[in-house]
Amino acid sequence: MTTGEPSTRRTRRRVARVVLIAGVVAALVAVAVIVVPLLLPPGPRPPFQLPVACGETWRLGTYPGHDDYDVDLFPTVGEAWGRPVLASYAGEVTVAGINGSLGARTPDDPDGPRGRGGGYWVKIDHGGRWETQYLHLLEPPLVRVGQRVAQGEQIGRVGSTGNSGAPHLHYEQRRGWQKVETYFDGAPSGITHDDREYTVKLTSNNCAPR
Ligand SMILES: [Zn+2]
C-alpha cells in the first residue's frame, strides 16, 4: 500500500531525469570529440613532397587574384594532360569528388567550355590538422573518401576541369583552417602572396613511400 503521489507520475519524473542526464552526457562527449581537437595547436608540419613523380622538374607559380599561398604546377618537360598526381604525404582522403562544375576541357578539346571551382578534386588529412588539396583533375579521383594513402601514392591525373585555363595542378597546404606557404622536401617554396605573377622551378623528391 503506497501513500505518496501516484506511481505513474514518479515514473515519468524518473524518465525525464534519465533523458536530461543522457542529454548532458551527449553534449559533453560532443564537446570533447569535436570542439577540443579544434582548439588544440596543430601538430608539426609533415615532410611534404611535390605532388608529382620522383625526379620530374615542374614550374610552380601564382598570379594576381589567385589567392595567397595557392600554387599552380606545370611540367617543364612534356604534356601536362594525364600526368600522375601523387599524395604529398601519407594520410586519409577526406574529399574525392567534384568542386563547382567540371566544364568540358579535355585533351581533345582543351579550349572547351570552362567549368567553375576546382573540378575533380581530392583533399587529404595528414593528421595534426594538416591537409593538402589537389584540384582540376582530369578524371574522377583514383581514391575514395576514407581511404588511407601512402606518401607518393597516385590519387589522380592532371587535367583542366573546373575553372582552369590550361591543364595544370592547383595545389594547397593547410594548417588548421588556414592556407600556409607550401613546403616541399623540408624547404619553403617561396610562393606566398598573389600580388604579382612569379614562378619557381622545383624537382620532385616524392620518390618512395616512407
Ligand atoms: Zn590555381
Side-chain angles (χ1 to χ4, degrees):
M1 190 85 182
T2 54
T3 52
E5 55 192 327
S7 65
T8 51
R9 196 183 300 164
R10 251 194 343 253
T11 306
R12 217 178 295 142
R13 242 190 4 224
R14 204 171 295 148
V15 168
R17 202 160 56 220
V18 168
V19 167
L20 179 70
I21 291 169
V24 169
V25 168
L28 289 174
V29 167
V31 166
V33 170
I34 297 166
V35 178
V36 169
L38 295 178
L39 297 177
L40 292 175
R45 182 193 311 275
F48 292 122
Q49 298 293 342
L50 277 179
V52 295
C54 173
E56 290 184 354
T57 300
W58 286 56
R59 187 164 46 84
L60 285 70
T62 194
Y63 55 86
H66 194 210
D67 209 8
D68 288 352
Y69 306 119
D70 286 7
V71 175
D72 281 352
L73 290 103
F74 297 84
T76 56
V77 177
E79 285 259 315
W81 290 111
R83 294 285 270 272
V85 176
L86 312 183
S88 277
Y89 186 67
E92 183 181 329
V93 175
T94 53
V95 173
I98 297 170
N99 175 273
S101 69
L102 295 175
R105 299 198 157 191
T106 64
D108 291 335
D109 188 9
D111 297 318
R114 200 190 263 247
R116 286 180 288 104
Y120 284 125
W121 73 308
V122 170
K123 192 158 138 179
I124 300 175
D125 178 355
H126 303 284
R129 303 184 60 208
W130 284 88
E131 291 178 326
T132 52
Q133 300 190 3
Y134 314 74
L135 278 62
H136 309 308
L137 304 179
L138 177 62
E139 300 155 338
L142 301 174
V143 291
R144 62 183 192 286
V145 171
Q147 185 178 335
R148 293 284 312 175
V149 292
Q151 183 231 305
E153 190 169 332
Q154 187 175 355
I155 58 175
R157 300 171 71 198
V158 172
S160 199
T161 55
N163 183 13
S164 168
H168 74 287
L169 176 64
H170 174 108
Y171 175 88
E172 299 172 19
Q173 292 177 359
R174 287 169 184 255
R175 181 181 59 208
W177 304 118
Q178 290 177 312
K179 290 183 204 184
V180 293
E181 181 178 3
T182 49
Y183 273 58
F184 301 105
D185 211 20
S189 68
I191 307 284
T192 54
H193 300 299
D194 70 343
D195 53 345
R196 62 192 173 86
E197 189 172 335
Y198 57 104
T199 61
V200 296
K201 277 184 191 173
L202 290 176
T203 299
S204 173
N205 198 23
N206 198 343
C207 298
R210 55 193 81 170

